[in-house]
Amino acid sequence: MSAAAVPASLNRLLVDLVVMAMRASVMGCKFGLALFIARYLDLSSLGLYGLAAGAIAAVPIVVNLGMNHLLMRDAVTAPAGEMIDSMRHYWSFVISAYMVLLTIAILVTIVLGTSALWVLIVAVILFEHVGNDIFYLLSSLQHHLSANAIGFIRGAAWILVYVPLAIWDPSFRALPCLFGFWLAGSVVSIGLFVFLSWSWPWRASFSRPFRPSVITGAIRKSLLMLVSDLGFVASQYIDRYLITLLLGLKVAGIYFLFWTVGSSATTFLALVLQQKQRPLLISAYRTGGSSAHCQLAWRFMQTTALATLALSTAVGFAFQILLPWLDQPALAAQWSAFWLIVAGLGVRYMADFGALSLFTAHRDRLTTVTNVASVCVSVIAQVSLLPFAGLHGAGAAILFTSLVIAFWRYRLLFGFSLANVDSGRVGA
């Protein structure tokens, strides 16, 4: 190995370690924030926070109308000028939509005298929407260090400031303060993107007239992805709303805490694995076709399964150690439900990898069908099991739904005989 190759290899290793540390910090901080709310506020506040967090994840799906996934997929191979022009039109549309939503929220607050917290949450949704787009854009361009630095500020840095301050000063222990710090972190992260992308030809793109046909054309192409995204986000978050409706806000708080613990492992894996897997799967399909994509997806699936099992188990036992510190007897009474929820979320992540593999193989219609089916199965299972099984029913519903959808998606990807994948005889 040449002398030049050694520093290059060492540099890549250092970058990977820094990225890994930032991703672990995001996972740990979100995990810690849920524990903080449970310990220093109450389980009902945690339930309300969980409902707001669900809205922060769901509303962008409606606003972007499915355009973001197609734009990020095209960004992997599109020329820089074309990519920037597409993003300019897309973000202009998105910000205009949020200005309308913010105006409505402010008017409702003034006229009906409702809490200003909802105005703050809409503002958080706006900046989280753009922040997520930035993360996936930079990831598609394989600027992983920049993507994760921005993600760290948006997902961890503000928590590292807020939680110690709120522990020191009880006046900060309120949801408006929490969401205010969240908004500040999101604004700073977008500011960093503006700084990093300052040399990109944004000004040249914005100097040209806005062409509504770009947006209308993108919307027509992305309607299928909109239905798919709506199905996906509903399958991820509808359970907390059903639990609130059927079991109450306090039980929803317990569920959200358990969900946060279980999903922290899969969120970390999504940042560690899927961030790199996604562009590689897209490239494999475009250069090698279905066979190359199928073989790569099979290798990634095995890695994902082992990592999910190991990390979910480790996180679950870590939470068990932390449980006495929370001083919430209601949590200990639901311990078996906790492990059922963790298992269900682990299988759900494997099902989500199947959706990613279908999407990167341009099998958008099948991705949509399985996402919508996932919502239907989940709602039926939750409504059937929650009334008489409580949180155990919630965990069982997640596990059942995820097993059904995972089997279906992998059947679509690999066929009846998974042994054929290694020989390349099975197409995606």
Side-chain angles (χ1 to χ4, degrees):
M1 183 179 292
S2 66
V6 174
S9 177
L10 180 60
N11 183 61
R12 284 194 298 271
L13 176 61
L14 290 175
V15 169
D16 287 343
L17 290 175
V18 171
V19 167
M20 186 76 71
M22 288 189 289
R23 291 166 178 166
S25 297
V26 171
M27 180 191 75
C29 286
K30 290 185 176 181
F31 183 90
L33 181 62
L35 297 179
F36 166 82
I37 298 172
R39 176 66 175 81
Y40 289 100
L41 277 73
D42 54 63
L43 292 175
S44 294
S45 294
L46 183 60
L48 184 58
Y49 168 77
L51 296 178
I56 290 170
V59 172
I61 301 299
V62 179
V63 172
N64 67 42
L65 299 177
M67 290 185 285
N68 63 327
H69 285 300
L70 298 181
L71 289 171
M72 302 314 165
R73 186 166 65 186
D74 292 342
V76 175
T77 55
E82 179 182 327
M83 178 271 294
I84 288 173
D85 191 57
S86 297
M87 295 305 301
R88 187 256 295 200
H89 282 82
Y90 165 69
W91 276 332
S92 296
F93 171 82
V94 164
I95 292 173
S96 298
Y98 278 109
M99 291 303 101
V100 174
L101 290 177
L102 274 171
T103 302
I104 293 172
I106 292 171
L107 289 176
V108 169
T109 300
I110 295 173
V111 174
L112 300 181
T114 58
S115 172
L117 177 63
W118 300 108
V119 177
L120 187 58
I121 290 174
V122 173
V124 172
I125 294 172
L126 162 60
F127 285 96
E128 280 293 297
H129 184 152
V130 177
N132 273 321
D133 288 340
I134 289 170
F135 178 84
Y136 286 113
L137 174 63
L138 293 175
S139 297
S140 296
L141 299 174
Q142 301 200 44
H143 299 327
H144 298 303
L145 184 59
S146 298
N148 283 277
I150 290 171
F152 171 78
I153 294 173
R154 188 166 54 87
W158 70 269
I159 299 175
L160 293 173
V161 175
Y162 168 73
V163 169
L165 185 61
I167 292 174
W168 175 67
D169 186 350
S171 65
F172 286 94
R173 299 174 190 174
L175 290 181
C177 291
L178 186 152
F179 283 107
F181 275 84
W182 190 343
L183 178 61
S186 298
V187 172
V188 172
S189 70
I190 292 176
L192 177 58
F193 172 72
V194 171
F195 173 77
L196 293 175
S197 65
W198 193 256
S199 61
W200 295 11
W202 292 109
R203 287 182 292 277
S205 178
F206 276 97
S207 67
R208 296 191 289 270
F210 185 84
R211 305 189 309 279
S213 60
V214 174
I215 293 298
T216 55
I219 291 174
R220 282 196 298 271
K221 292 178 182 177
S222 62
L223 284 178
L224 186 64
M225 288 310 303
L226 171 61
V227 177
S228 179
D229 280 352
L230 290 173
F232 177 79
V233 76
S235 69
Q236 298 289 314
Y237 296 102
I238 198 170
D239 44 7
R240 65 186 63 181
Y241 295 98
L242 291 173
I243 289 169
T244 303
L245 178 64
L246 297 174
L247 302 179
L249 194 57
K250 182 177 179 179
V251 177
I254 297 173
Y255 172 77
F256 179 69
L257 180 60
F258 290 170
W259 182 91
T260 300
V261 174
S263 65
S264 63
T266 56
T267 299
F268 178 72
L269 291 176
L271 294 172
V272 171
L273 297 178
Q274 286 193 13
Q275 184 189 12
K276 291 188 175 182
Q277 291 171 345
R278 183 185 178 106
L280 292 174
L281 286 167
I282 293 171
S283 297
Y285 181 80
R286 291 192 174 179
T287 58
S290 297
S291 179
H293 176 276
C294 186
Q295 292 181 59
L296 185 61
W298 174 245
R299 291 198 296 271
F300 283 167
M301 187 203 72
Q302 295 176 78
T303 302
T304 300
L306 291 174
T308 301
L309 176 63
L311 192 56
S312 295
T313 302
V315 169
F317 280 113
F319 179 67
Q320 188 169 0
I321 295 171
L322 290 171
L323 186 63
W325 174 79
L326 295 178
D327 193 26
Q328 293 283 359
L331 300 177
Q334 299 285 353
W335 199 242
S336 55
F338 165 75
W339 282 107
L340 193 57
I341 291 169
V342 170
L345 291 172
V347 178
R348 176 187 284 180
Y349 182 68
M350 293 305 304
D352 292 345
F353 176 79
L356 172 70
S357 298
L358 288 171
F359 169 76
T360 53
H362 290 250
R363 303 181 75 179
D364 298 340
R365 191 175 300 277
L366 288 175
T367 305
T368 301
V369 170
T370 59
N371 283 349
V372 173
S374 179
V375 181
C376 297
V377 175
S378 178
V379 170
I380 292 171
Q382 294 279 358
V383 172
S384 300
L385 296 173
L386 283 175
F388 69 87
L391 286 181
H392 290 83
I398 297 172
L399 184 58
F400 172 76
T401 303
S402 301
L403 284 170
V404 170
I405 301 301
F407 178 81
W408 186 10
R409 286 171 177 163
Y410 290 125
R411 168 65 181 84
L412 292 171
L413 282 166
F414 305 122
F416 283 113
S417 177
L418 297 180
N420 291 337
V421 175
D422 293 327
S423 66
R425 291 195 295 271
V426 176

